[in-house]
């Protein structure tokens, strides 16, 4: 029949503005219950600016962000974050990504799911179920 490629399904499940998932998923070392989905920036233009030392971008680093579970696995997104020069205050700040919650260790959709669960169960039960502190 007409089957879609796994990469296509992965990109549909992890649609985040400015990012695209890599074709492979890997297991977290020492933890068989966690899968890591690496996200790459769609545009390399800003990364080229960063390497050339142009104004606006300071440096970058890796961050792991918890997302909704899938198929009994915890899903962790791995993405590159960028520090930018703030035009208002002159300081250096982490670039704000719209799909992250107020706590940048979680996606917005994960935080919303935790909130919905807490309205139906105790906070302790939800934390235990999702492996949260």
């Amino acid at each position: 029949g007409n089957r879609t490629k796994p990469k296509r399904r992965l990109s549909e499940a992890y649609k985040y503005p400015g990012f695209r998932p890599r074709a492979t998923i890997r297991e977290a070392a020492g933890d068989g219950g966690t899968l890591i989905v690496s996200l790459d920036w769609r545009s390399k233009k800003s990364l080229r600016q960063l390497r050339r030392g142009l104004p606006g971008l300071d440096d970058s680093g890796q961050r792991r962000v918890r997302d909704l579970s899938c198929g009994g696995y915890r899903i962790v997104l791995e993405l590159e974050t960028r520090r930018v020069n703030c035009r208002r205050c002159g300081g250096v700040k982490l670039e704000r990504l719209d799909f992250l919650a107020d706590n940048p260790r979680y996606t917005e959709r994960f935080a919303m799911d935790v909130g919905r669960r807490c309205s139906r169960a105790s906070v302790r039960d939800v934390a235990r179920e999702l492996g949260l502190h």
Side-chain angles (χ1 to χ4, degrees), residues 74 122-133:
R74 285 184 193 161
S122 72
V123 172
R124 179 177 288 175
D125 290 342
V126 172
R128 189 177 305 124
E129 181 184 345
L130 296 176
L132 300 171
H133 298 286

Side-chain angles (χ1 to χ4, degrees), residues 3 21 41 61 76 78 102 106:
R3 295 171 57 181
W41 284 97
V76 174
E78 187 175 69
D102 290 338
Y106 306 104

